[in-house]
Amino acid sequence: MKKSAAFALATALLLGTAHAQEKVTLTVAAFPSLDSAIKAILPAWTKLHPNVTINLQAQQFADHHNAMTTALATGQGLPDVMAIEIGYVGKFAEGQGLENLNSAPYNAAQYKKLFTPFTIAQATSADGRFIAMPTDIGPGTFFYRKDVLDKAGVNPLTMQSSWENYIASGKKIKQKTGAYLVNTAASVYNLVIRTNLKSGEGIYFDKQNTLLVGPDNARFVRAMTLAKQVRDAGLDAKIGEWSNEWYDAFKKGTVATQFSGAWLQGALQNWMAPDTKGLWRVQNLPEKGFASWGGSFYAVPSKAKNKQWAWEFIKFMTLNQGSQITAFKDNGAFPALIAAQKDKAFSEPVEFLGGQKARVLWRDAAAKTQPIDVNKYDSIADQILQTELTNVLEQGKDVKQALADARAQIARRAR
Protein backbone atom coordinates (compact mmCIF):
# COMPACT_ATOMS: atom_id res chain seq x y z
CA MET A 1 0.00 0.00 0.00
CA LYS A 2 1.39 3.40 -0.95
CA LYS A 3 2.20 5.81 1.88
CA SER A 4 -0.42 8.31 0.69
CA ALA A 5 -3.09 5.60 0.55
CA ALA A 6 -2.12 4.36 4.02
CA PHE A 7 -2.31 7.92 5.31
CA ALA A 8 -5.73 8.46 3.75
CA LEU A 9 -7.00 5.21 5.29
CA ALA A 10 -5.59 6.01 8.74
CA THR A 11 -7.07 9.51 8.64
CA ALA A 12 -10.42 8.19 7.42
CA LEU A 13 -10.50 5.67 10.27
CA LEU A 14 -9.58 8.37 12.76
CA LEU A 15 -12.08 10.89 11.46
CA GLY A 16 -14.78 8.41 10.48
CA THR A 17 -17.38 8.95 13.15
CA ALA A 18 -16.45 12.59 13.70
CA HIS A 19 -17.07 13.46 10.04
CA ALA A 20 -20.64 12.43 10.67
CA GLN A 21 -22.61 14.95 12.67
CA GLU A 22 -20.89 14.34 16.01
CA LYS A 23 -20.31 17.69 17.70
CA VAL A 24 -16.70 18.29 18.74
CA THR A 25 -15.14 21.13 20.74
CA LEU A 26 -11.46 21.56 19.91
CA THR A 27 -9.38 23.48 22.44
CA VAL A 28 -6.61 25.60 20.90
CA ALA A 29 -4.15 27.40 23.22
CA ALA A 30 -2.36 30.38 21.65
CA PHE A 31 -0.79 33.82 22.27
CA PRO A 32 -0.81 37.19 20.41
CA SER A 33 -0.77 37.67 17.47
CA LEU A 34 -1.50 34.01 16.64
CA ASP A 35 -4.87 34.34 18.37
CA SER A 36 -5.76 37.14 15.96
CA ALA A 37 -4.77 34.97 12.96
CA ILE A 38 -6.89 32.06 14.25
CA LYS A 39 -9.93 34.34 14.65
CA ALA A 40 -9.44 35.62 11.09
CA ILE A 41 -9.30 32.06 9.71
CA LEU A 42 -12.23 30.67 11.78
CA PRO A 43 -15.01 31.48 9.26
CA ALA A 44 -13.28 29.36 6.58
CA TRP A 45 -12.75 26.50 9.07
CA THR A 46 -16.38 26.60 10.27
CA LYS A 47 -17.64 26.49 6.68
CA LEU A 48 -15.60 23.33 6.10
CA HIS A 49 -16.23 21.70 9.51
CA PRO A 50 -19.51 23.07 10.96
CA ASN A 51 -19.59 20.33 13.62
CA VAL A 52 -16.17 21.29 15.11
CA THR A 53 -16.24 24.32 17.40
CA ILE A 54 -12.91 25.97 18.19
CA ASN A 55 -12.47 26.95 21.83
CA LEU A 56 -9.63 29.48 21.60
CA GLN A 57 -7.75 30.00 24.87
CA ALA A 58 -5.44 32.99 24.43
CA GLN A 59 -3.02 34.27 27.07
CA GLN A 60 -0.15 36.75 26.93
CA PHE A 61 3.13 35.36 25.59
CA ALA A 62 4.89 34.49 28.88
CA ASP A 63 1.68 33.38 30.65
CA HIS A 64 0.83 31.04 27.77
CA HIS A 65 4.23 29.34 27.71
CA ASN A 66 4.37 29.05 31.51
CA ALA A 67 0.91 27.47 31.50
CA MET A 68 1.92 25.02 28.74
CA THR A 69 5.15 24.11 30.60
CA THR A 70 3.06 23.28 33.70
CA ALA A 71 0.42 21.39 31.70
CA LEU A 72 3.09 19.24 30.00
CA ALA A 73 4.77 18.53 33.34
CA THR A 74 1.56 17.55 35.15
CA GLY A 75 -0.52 16.17 32.25
CA GLN A 76 -3.37 18.43 33.44
CA GLY A 77 -5.11 21.23 31.54
CA LEU A 78 -3.64 20.33 28.16
CA PRO A 79 -5.26 21.73 25.00
CA ASP A 80 -5.85 19.72 21.82
CA VAL A 81 -3.65 22.11 19.83
CA MET A 82 -0.73 23.93 21.42
CA ALA A 83 0.87 26.98 19.83
CA ILE A 84 4.58 27.32 20.63
CA GLU A 85 6.97 30.19 19.90
CA ILE A 86 10.43 29.28 18.59
CA GLY A 87 12.14 30.22 21.88
CA TYR A 88 10.31 27.34 23.60
CA VAL A 89 10.33 24.72 20.86
CA GLY A 90 13.73 23.26 21.81
CA LYS A 91 12.75 22.97 25.46
CA PHE A 92 9.37 21.36 24.69
CA ALA A 93 10.89 19.05 22.06
CA GLU A 94 13.23 17.42 24.57
CA GLY A 95 10.33 16.36 26.81
CA GLN A 96 8.10 13.48 25.76
CA GLY A 97 4.75 15.27 26.10
CA LEU A 98 4.14 16.09 22.43
CA GLU A 99 3.24 13.77 19.56
CA ASN A 100 5.95 12.82 17.07
CA LEU A 101 4.45 14.05 13.81
CA ASN A 102 6.82 11.83 11.78
CA SER A 103 4.81 8.81 12.98
CA ALA A 104 1.46 7.46 11.78
CA PRO A 105 -1.25 8.62 11.51
CA TYR A 106 0.35 12.06 11.05
CA ASN A 107 3.14 11.04 8.64
CA ALA A 108 4.27 14.66 8.41
CA ALA A 109 7.58 13.88 6.69
CA GLN A 110 5.80 14.23 3.34
CA TYR A 111 5.04 17.89 4.09
CA LYS A 112 8.48 19.05 5.24
CA LYS A 113 9.66 20.07 1.77
CA LEU A 114 6.73 22.53 1.56
CA PHE A 115 8.14 24.79 4.30
CA THR A 116 11.03 27.26 4.54
CA PRO A 117 13.88 24.81 5.30
CA PHE A 118 15.20 26.32 8.54
CA THR A 119 11.83 25.82 10.28
CA ILE A 120 12.08 22.01 10.04
CA ALA A 121 15.39 21.91 11.93
CA GLN A 122 13.87 24.20 14.57
CA ALA A 123 11.04 21.73 15.30
CA THR A 124 13.15 18.56 15.30
CA SER A 125 14.44 17.14 18.59
CA ALA A 126 17.98 15.83 19.09
CA ASP A 127 16.67 12.26 18.69
CA GLY A 128 14.93 13.08 15.39
CA ARG A 129 11.30 13.55 16.50
CA PHE A 130 9.36 16.22 14.60
CA ILE A 131 7.17 17.79 17.26
CA ALA A 132 5.47 20.79 15.67
CA MET A 133 4.34 22.19 12.32
CA PRO A 134 5.65 25.66 11.42
CA THR A 135 3.03 28.31 10.72
CA ASP A 136 4.95 31.60 10.52
CA ILE A 137 8.56 32.72 10.45
CA GLY A 138 10.44 35.88 11.36
CA PRO A 139 12.99 36.85 8.71
CA GLY A 140 15.36 39.16 10.61
CA THR A 141 15.18 42.75 9.39
CA PHE A 142 16.64 46.18 10.14
CA PHE A 143 13.90 48.78 10.77
CA TYR A 144 14.88 52.45 10.70
CA ARG A 145 13.13 55.81 10.99
CA LYS A 146 13.75 57.52 7.64
CA ASP A 147 12.83 60.95 9.04
CA VAL A 148 15.37 60.67 11.87
CA LEU A 149 18.20 59.42 9.60
CA ASP A 150 17.43 62.18 7.06
CA LYS A 151 17.61 64.84 9.78
CA ALA A 152 20.99 63.49 10.91
CA GLY A 153 22.30 63.21 7.35
CA VAL A 154 22.96 59.47 7.76
CA ASN A 155 22.79 57.00 4.87
CA PRO A 156 21.07 53.74 5.93
CA LEU A 157 23.35 51.73 3.61
CA THR A 158 26.38 53.01 5.55
CA MET A 159 24.79 51.71 8.75
CA GLN A 160 24.22 48.34 7.07
CA SER A 161 27.78 47.98 5.74
CA SER A 162 29.46 47.16 9.10
CA TRP A 163 28.77 47.15 12.82
CA GLU A 164 31.51 49.76 13.28
CA ASN A 165 29.73 52.07 10.80
CA TYR A 166 26.41 51.34 12.51
CA ILE A 167 27.83 52.59 15.83
CA ALA A 168 29.59 55.59 14.22
CA SER A 169 26.29 56.58 12.54
CA GLY A 170 24.56 56.23 15.90
CA LYS A 171 26.88 58.85 17.39
CA LYS A 172 25.99 61.23 14.56
CA ILE A 173 22.24 60.57 15.01
CA LYS A 174 22.45 61.22 18.76
CA GLN A 175 24.45 64.42 18.24
CA LYS A 176 22.21 65.84 15.47
CA THR A 177 18.75 64.71 16.62
CA GLY A 178 18.98 63.57 20.24
CA ALA A 179 17.49 60.21 19.27
CA TYR A 180 19.05 57.00 20.58
CA LEU A 181 20.47 54.49 18.12
CA VAL A 182 18.67 51.46 19.56
CA ASN A 183 16.37 50.52 22.47
CA THR A 184 19.00 48.42 24.26
CA ALA A 185 22.65 47.50 23.62
CA ALA A 186 21.63 43.89 24.30
CA SER A 187 19.81 43.77 20.94
CA VAL A 188 23.14 44.21 19.12
CA TYR A 189 24.60 41.31 21.12
CA ASN A 190 21.50 39.16 20.48
CA LEU A 191 21.76 39.73 16.74
CA VAL A 192 25.51 39.18 16.35
CA ILE A 193 25.39 35.80 18.15
CA ARG A 194 22.61 34.63 15.79
CA THR A 195 23.94 35.66 12.39
CA ASN A 196 26.26 33.88 9.99
CA LEU A 197 26.52 30.64 11.95
CA LYS A 198 28.42 27.78 10.35
CA SER A 199 26.39 24.80 9.13
CA GLY A 200 25.80 22.32 11.95
CA GLU A 201 26.21 24.98 14.63
CA GLY A 202 23.51 25.97 17.04
CA ILE A 203 23.79 29.32 18.79
CA TYR A 204 25.38 27.86 21.93
CA PHE A 205 26.15 24.20 21.09
CA ASP A 206 27.23 22.33 17.96
CA LYS A 207 25.76 19.10 16.54
CA GLN A 208 27.94 17.02 18.88
CA ASN A 209 26.53 18.94 21.90
CA THR A 210 29.91 20.67 22.36
CA LEU A 211 29.53 24.00 24.16
CA LEU A 212 30.62 26.88 21.88
CA VAL A 213 30.41 29.69 24.45
CA GLY A 214 33.69 30.96 25.89
CA PRO A 215 36.42 33.62 25.84
CA ASP A 216 37.98 32.00 22.74
CA ASN A 217 34.82 32.16 20.60
CA ALA A 218 35.17 35.21 18.34
CA ARG A 219 31.40 35.45 17.72
CA PHE A 220 30.57 35.86 21.42
CA VAL A 221 33.55 38.14 22.12
CA ARG A 222 32.55 40.45 19.28
CA ALA A 223 28.86 40.44 20.23
CA MET A 224 29.56 41.51 23.82
CA THR A 225 32.26 43.99 22.78
CA LEU A 226 29.96 45.75 20.28
CA ALA A 227 27.12 45.89 22.83
CA LYS A 228 29.53 47.46 25.33
CA GLN A 229 30.63 50.07 22.76
CA VAL A 230 26.97 51.02 22.20
CA ARG A 231 26.37 51.36 25.95
CA ASP A 232 29.63 53.22 26.68
CA ALA A 233 28.83 55.79 23.96
CA GLY A 234 25.37 56.39 25.49
CA LEU A 235 23.65 55.25 22.31
CA ASP A 236 21.00 52.92 23.78
CA ALA A 237 17.84 54.04 25.54
CA LYS A 238 18.10 51.16 28.07
CA ILE A 239 14.52 50.18 27.26
CA GLY A 240 13.34 46.56 27.37
CA GLU A 241 11.22 45.14 24.57
CA TRP A 242 7.45 44.64 25.05
CA SER A 243 7.34 47.53 27.54
CA ASN A 244 5.27 50.72 27.45
CA GLU A 245 8.54 52.68 27.17
CA TRP A 246 9.38 50.70 24.02
CA TYR A 247 6.02 51.48 22.39
CA ASP A 248 6.41 55.12 23.42
CA ALA A 249 9.86 55.33 21.78
CA PHE A 250 8.35 54.02 18.53
CA LYS A 251 5.55 56.59 18.66
CA LYS A 252 7.87 59.54 19.40
CA GLY A 253 10.82 58.57 17.21
CA THR A 254 13.27 58.69 20.14
CA VAL A 255 14.89 55.42 18.96
CA ALA A 256 16.18 55.48 15.36
CA THR A 257 16.62 51.77 14.58
CA GLN A 258 15.24 48.40 15.64
CA PHE A 259 16.27 44.84 14.78
CA SER A 260 13.37 42.41 14.73
CA GLY A 261 11.42 39.93 12.67
CA ALA A 262 9.36 41.08 9.69
CA TRP A 263 6.26 40.66 11.89
CA LEU A 264 7.13 43.89 13.76
CA GLN A 265 5.75 45.84 10.80
CA GLY A 266 2.27 44.43 11.46
CA ALA A 267 2.53 45.21 15.18
CA LEU A 268 3.72 48.79 14.56
CA GLN A 269 0.95 49.35 12.03
CA ASN A 270 -1.91 47.74 13.97
CA TRP A 271 -1.32 48.75 17.58
CA MET A 272 2.16 49.85 18.65
CA ALA A 273 2.56 53.07 16.64
CA PRO A 274 -0.05 53.37 13.86
CA ASP A 275 0.49 57.15 13.57
CA THR A 276 4.08 56.60 12.37
CA LYS A 277 2.82 55.32 8.99
CA GLY A 278 5.23 56.28 6.21
CA LEU A 279 8.14 57.11 8.54
CA TRP A 280 9.68 53.63 8.70
CA ARG A 281 11.78 51.73 6.15
CA VAL A 282 13.50 48.32 6.28
CA GLN A 283 16.70 46.79 4.94
CA ASN A 284 18.68 43.61 5.49
CA LEU A 285 20.74 43.17 8.65
CA PRO A 286 24.28 44.60 8.95
CA GLU A 287 27.25 42.82 7.36
CA LYS A 288 25.05 40.68 5.09
CA GLY A 289 23.73 38.86 8.13
CA PHE A 290 20.63 36.67 7.95
CA ALA A 291 18.79 35.45 11.02
CA SER A 292 15.49 33.99 12.08
CA TRP A 293 13.71 36.28 14.56
CA GLY A 294 10.77 34.56 16.15
CA GLY A 295 8.38 32.16 14.50
CA SER A 296 5.40 30.06 15.61
CA PHE A 297 4.48 26.38 15.53
CA TYR A 298 1.51 24.12 16.33
CA ALA A 299 1.87 20.86 18.25
CA VAL A 300 -0.43 18.05 19.46
CA PRO A 301 0.01 17.07 23.14
CA SER A 302 0.27 13.29 23.58
CA LYS A 303 -2.58 13.45 26.13
CA ALA A 304 -4.88 15.56 23.92
CA LYS A 305 -8.48 14.32 23.79
CA ASN A 306 -9.14 15.10 20.10
CA LYS A 307 -5.90 14.28 18.31
CA GLN A 308 -7.48 13.56 14.95
CA TRP A 309 -9.25 16.92 14.80
CA ALA A 310 -6.19 18.66 16.25
CA TRP A 311 -4.20 17.39 13.27
CA GLU A 312 -6.90 18.48 10.79
CA PHE A 313 -6.86 21.96 12.34
CA ILE A 314 -3.04 22.18 12.26
CA LYS A 315 -2.98 21.15 8.61
CA PHE A 316 -5.65 23.76 7.84
CA MET A 317 -3.55 26.48 9.52
CA THR A 318 -0.17 25.48 8.07
CA LEU A 319 -0.68 23.72 4.71
CA ASN A 320 -3.64 25.72 3.39
CA GLN A 321 -2.36 28.62 1.30
CA GLY A 322 -5.54 30.62 1.94
CA SER A 323 -5.09 30.33 5.73
CA GLN A 324 -1.46 31.37 5.53
CA ILE A 325 -2.28 34.44 3.42
CA THR A 326 -5.20 35.38 5.71
CA ALA A 327 -2.87 35.32 8.73
CA PHE A 328 -0.28 37.34 6.80
CA LYS A 329 -2.81 40.01 5.83
CA ASP A 330 -4.32 40.05 9.33
CA ASN A 331 -1.17 40.75 11.34
CA GLY A 332 1.93 40.41 9.16
CA ALA A 333 2.63 36.80 10.23
CA PHE A 334 5.13 35.81 7.52
CA PRO A 335 4.08 32.44 6.03
CA ALA A 336 6.27 29.40 6.67
CA LEU A 337 4.59 27.72 3.68
CA ILE A 338 6.74 28.40 0.58
CA ALA A 339 3.75 28.35 -1.83
CA ALA A 340 2.06 31.14 0.18
CA GLN A 341 5.18 33.31 -0.17
CA LYS A 342 4.56 33.36 -3.96
CA ASP A 343 1.18 35.04 -3.55
CA LYS A 344 0.75 38.36 -5.40
CA ALA A 345 0.40 40.12 -2.02
CA PHE A 346 4.18 39.80 -1.66
CA SER A 347 4.99 42.11 -4.55
CA GLU A 348 2.52 44.78 -3.38
CA PRO A 349 3.97 47.96 -1.84
CA VAL A 350 3.64 48.25 1.95
CA GLU A 351 2.00 51.62 2.64
CA PHE A 352 3.13 51.69 6.26
CA LEU A 353 6.74 51.51 5.02
CA GLY A 354 6.29 54.40 2.61
CA GLY A 355 5.30 52.14 -0.28
CA GLN A 356 8.47 50.03 -0.03
CA LYS A 357 8.22 46.49 -1.50
CA ALA A 358 9.50 45.04 1.75
CA ARG A 359 7.94 41.57 1.50
CA VAL A 360 10.16 40.63 -1.45
CA LEU A 361 13.20 41.61 0.66
CA TRP A 362 11.93 39.44 3.54
CA ARG A 363 11.18 36.49 1.27
CA ASP A 364 14.74 36.57 -0.10
CA ALA A 365 16.16 36.89 3.43
CA ALA A 366 14.13 33.86 4.58
CA ALA A 367 15.54 31.78 1.71
CA LYS A 368 19.11 32.73 2.74
CA THR A 369 18.66 32.00 6.45
CA GLN A 370 20.51 28.85 7.52
CA PRO A 371 18.88 26.20 9.72
CA ILE A 372 20.10 26.51 13.32
CA ASP A 373 20.28 23.35 15.41
CA VAL A 374 18.32 23.60 18.66
CA ASN A 375 19.56 22.15 21.94
CA LYS A 376 17.61 21.39 25.08
CA TYR A 377 20.01 23.58 27.10
CA ASP A 378 19.63 26.64 24.83
CA SER A 379 17.29 28.45 27.24
CA ILE A 380 19.68 27.84 30.18
CA ALA A 381 22.66 29.10 28.15
CA ASP A 382 20.67 32.16 27.09
CA GLN A 383 19.69 33.05 30.69
CA ILE A 384 23.27 32.71 31.97
CA LEU A 385 24.71 34.78 29.12
CA GLN A 386 22.10 37.54 29.51
CA THR A 387 23.12 37.83 33.18
CA GLU A 388 26.81 38.03 32.22
CA LEU A 389 26.02 40.60 29.50
CA THR A 390 24.31 42.73 32.16
CA ASN A 391 27.48 42.44 34.27
CA VAL A 392 29.53 43.69 31.31
CA LEU A 393 27.17 46.56 30.45
CA GLU A 394 26.30 47.74 33.95
CA GLN A 395 29.18 46.64 36.20
CA GLY A 396 32.03 47.04 33.72
CA LYS A 397 33.01 43.38 33.91
CA ASP A 398 35.70 42.27 31.44
CA VAL A 399 34.16 40.60 28.35
CA LYS A 400 36.49 37.58 28.30
CA GLN A 401 36.04 37.03 32.04
CA ALA A 402 32.26 37.20 31.63
CA LEU A 403 32.39 34.60 28.85
CA ALA A 404 34.71 32.33 30.88
CA ASP A 405 32.31 32.52 33.83
CA ALA A 406 29.29 31.90 31.56
CA ARG A 407 31.02 28.86 30.03
CA ALA A 408 31.68 27.35 33.48
CA GLN A 409 28.09 27.92 34.64
CA ILE A 410 26.51 26.52 31.44
CA ALA A 411 28.78 23.46 31.53
CA ARG A 412 27.81 22.83 35.14
CA ARG A 413 24.07 23.17 34.48
CA ALA A 414 24.19 21.07 31.28
CA ARG A 415 26.10 18.28 32.98
Side-chain angles (χ1 to χ4, degrees):
M1 188 184 279
K2 278 186 175 172
K3 258 187 193 171
S4 55
F7 177 79
L9 179 61
T11 306
L13 289 171
L14 270 173
L15 293 172
T17 52
H19 267 313
Q21 286 315 302
E22 183 193 336
K23 296 270 186 244
V24 178
T25 299
L26 194 70
T27 303
V28 179
F31 52 89
S33 299
L34 268 193
D35 56 342
S36 171
I38 292 166
K39 284 175 194 164
I41 290 159
L42 275 185
W45 167 266
T46 306
K47 197 172 173 184
L48 205 59
H49 303 292
N51 58 313
V52 183
T53 304
I54 302 299
N55 171 23
L56 178 60
Q57 296 181 343
Q59 296 188 75
Q60 287 303 316
F61 181 84
D63 295 339
H64 165 81
H65 288 96
N66 289 338
M68 294 305 103
T69 301
T70 304
L72 285 169
T74 62
Q76 303 294 313
L78 284 161
D80 296 305
V81 176
M82 182 186 292
I84 313 172
E85 203 269 343
I86 181 57
Y88 290 83
V89 169
K91 181 180 172 183
F92 287 6
E94 297 311 328
Q96 300 294 326
L98 299 173
E99 292 284 86
N100 177 10
L101 302 179
N102 284 328
S103 306
Y106 310 102
N107 302 322
Q110 62 184 315
Y111 304 123
K112 291 179 182 177
K113 64 181 180 294
L114 304 176
F115 295 104
T116 299
F118 69 77
T119 60
I120 303 303
Q122 288 174 334
T124 303
S125 67
D127 59 4
R129 285 172 297 117
F130 183 54
I131 61 105
M133 288 279 272
T135 186
D136 62 63
I137 57 176
T141 195
F142 179 157
F143 287 83
Y144 63 90
R145 280 284 294 251
K146 185 179 186 298
D147 56 331
V148 176
L149 267 64
D150 285 351
K151 192 176 170 187
V154 166
N155 184 337
L157 294 176
T158 304
M159 299 186 85
Q160 189 191 34
S161 63
S162 74
W163 283 109
E164 287 71 24
N165 285 338
Y166 173 75
I167 293 170
S169 299
K171 290 174 182 172
K172 199 171 169 186
I173 290 166
K174 183 92 188 289
Q175 184 194 349
K176 294 273 178 72
T177 72
Y180 291 101
L181 175 61
V182 68
N183 65 311
T184 171
S187 70
V188 173
Y189 159 84
N190 286 326
L191 181 51
V192 174
I193 65 166
R194 280 170 173 79
T195 44
N196 302 327
L197 299 184
K198 299 184 187 81
S199 180
E201 271 190 358
I203 298 172
Y204 311 106
F205 299 87
D206 68 12
K207 265 202 172 96
Q208 283 72 44
N209 287 327
T210 307
L211 178 60
L212 300 170
V213 177
D216 302 325
N217 184 300
R219 177 164 51 96
F220 284 96
V221 172
R222 186 163 190 235
M224 279 199 181
T225 303
L226 288 168
K228 184 168 164 43
Q229 287 170 4
V230 169
R231 174 62 55 88
D232 290 352
L235 300 180
D236 71 323
K238 302 182 186 174
I239 292 171
E241 289 168 7
W242 308 109
S243 63
N244 288 328
E245 293 82 3
W246 195 44
Y247 312 145
D248 209 41
F250 286 147
K251 287 174 189 147
K252 294 177 177 168
T254 52
V255 168
T257 71
Q258 179 70 45
F259 303 114
S260 188
W263 46 263
L264 183 66
Q265 179 253 314
L268 286 167
Q269 175 182 301
N270 294 345
W271 61 276
M272 280 184 187
D275 294 341
T276 61
K277 179 182 175 181
L279 301 178
W280 293 94
R281 299 290 185 275
V282 293
Q283 60 184 3
N284 281 331
L285 301 170
E287 297 186 354
K288 298 186 173 68
F290 296 99
S292 164
W293 209 292
S296 316
F297 297 78
Y298 290 111
V300 182
S302 296
K303 291 185 179 172
K305 293 183 178 70
N306 296 301
K307 290 182 194 176
Q308 68 275 33
W309 280 111
W311 181 231
E312 286 300 301
F313 179 79
I314 289 172
K315 286 193 293 180
F316 189 75
M317 295 299 290
T318 61
L319 294 169
N320 182 306
Q321 199 169 325
S323 300
Q324 289 267 293
I325 293 297
T326 299
F328 177 58
K329 287 183 172 169
D330 175 70
N331 62 52
F334 203 90
L337 187 70
I338 294 168
Q341 296 172 14
K342 296 180 174 135
D343 189 88
K344 66 179 189 304
F346 278 78
S347 52
E348 290 168 6
V350 180
E351 291 311 316
F352 187 79
L353 299 173
Q356 189 180 4
K357 291 190 176 180
R359 294 157 182 167
V360 178
L361 180 92
W362 294 331
R363 181 173 63 197
D364 294 345
K368 289 174 181 165
T369 301
Q370 293 298 314
I372 294 177
D373 282 13
V374 293
N375 188 287
K376 65 179 170 183
Y377 295 115
D378 280 350
S379 57
I380 289 170
D382 181 56
Q383 283 169 4
I384 289 168
L385 278 158
Q386 294 295 342
T387 301
E388 286 298 339
L389 177 64
T390 302
N391 291 338
V392 167
L393 296 179
E394 295 181 9
Q395 316 296 329
K397 187 170 179 175
D398 177 74
V399 166
K400 291 204 168 186
Q401 188 58 55
L403 286 168
D405 291 351
R407 181 179 177 83
Q409 290 174 67
I410 297 164
R412 192 160 59 240
R413 290 281 294 277
R415 204 175 292 143

